[in-house]
Amino acid sequence: MHYLPAIPRDALRVAFLVAATCALAACAPTTLSPGAASNVRITHNEPGKECAFLGDVTGSQGNFLAGAITSNADLETGARNDLKNKAAGMGGNVVYLLTQRAGQTGGKDHLEQTNVTLSGNVYRCG
């Protein structure tokens, strides 16, 4: 019979620390990319004819696993930052928000918000 070699205690500690760090990082909101993304404005008002339509964009944060241990504020901030990062990547500086959804996971007695998704139209104005 073959036996697996014993794993040294120090190796187990390192593996646990790496796993814990990754789990905590999954809870952090998506960061805003440096540069143009910080100048993207999200609005509920459709831009006028002085703005050029560039396309559609969707930003999201969370999933059924990491979203359950991420605060609602971090889910919303992460989705907003993801939306701005993608809009800036398209050359836009305004996002006309079309939909805003919060997903929930759980059973009949317990539901929790696990993700946020934002969709909109990207424009280049001024």
Side-chain angles (χ1 to χ4, degrees), residues 11-59:
L12 286 174
R13 285 185 184 137
V14 169
F16 174 77
L17 287 174
V18 168
T21 301
C22 290
L24 288 175
C27 300
T30 300
T31 58
L32 195 59
S33 297
S38 62
N39 295 323
V40 174
R41 185 173 50 94
I42 298 174
T43 180
H44 291 282
N45 301 315
E46 189 168 10
K49 294 183 191 257
E50 70 281 0
C51 300
F53 173 74
L54 302 177
D56 300 323
V57 68
T58 299

Side-chain angles (χ1 to χ4, degrees), residues 87-112:
M90 296 170 65
N93 60 359
V94 174
V95 177
Y96 169 45
L97 196 61
L98 298 172
T99 62
Q100 187 171 330
R101 292 190 177 92
Q104 295 183 333
T105 302
K108 81 174 194 187
D109 294 331
H110 177 74
L111 288 174
E112 57 191 348

